Amino acid sequence: MNGVALSSDNQNLRTIDGGLTWTPIAGLTAQFREMEWVSPTIGFGGCGGALFKTVNGGASFQLKSGDPTCPVIWGMAFKDGNIGIVGGSIQFGANGMFKTTNGGATWTRKYTGDCNTILYMSGTEWLSVDRKTMLRSTNDGETWFPIGTIDSGFGQLVKVGNSGR
């Protein structure tokens, strides 16, 4: 019944009745590029060089990190309320995958490349794409290795089936 609609004109909206009515999210005027939910109440919104977190189903969001210490987020996935990986760029073109273990307060680059899509699978397994190279991590994003190639660059990874969320 709960949902959030992201808007290109900074009018982010929330519903608690399955979309019958929508209300603006108080105090949130950021233009989210990515949104990731790890539970019905905990979610993350990424925009430009900033990451926001909600713990109340989108009723309000708190800024967790911003420019220049937060990557410009091209794609993101979170395992839980603390561990997440984003693809993006930080501080003048340092591209790659960046990991947080504290809900987005701080970031560490774990891979250098142009990754715009990240997918958390299960346990400690993650997938990503660096241009035309498929990547896999089996240790919560600490290290990445190639597992194949795709024909078109910057593909979008989508998990099919019940993700348990």
Side-chain angles (χ1 to χ4, degrees), residues 78-132:
F78 275 78
K79 176 180 183 172
D80 55 35
N82 290 310
I83 298 173
I85 298 173
V86 303
S89 178
I90 196 167
Q91 299 176 348
F92 308 109
N95 297 350
M97 282 187 276
F98 301 84
K99 181 179 179 181
T100 183
T101 58
N102 56 14
T106 59
W107 299 93
T108 304
R109 185 162 59 168
K110 297 296 182 177
Y111 178 87
T112 301
D114 294 323
C115 305
N116 73 337
T117 184
I118 314 290
L119 183 63
Y120 170 67
M121 297 301 290
S122 65
T124 59
E125 187 173 353
W126 299 71
L127 297 174
S128 185
V129 177
D130 179 357
R131 296 190 181 264
K132 293 184 177 186

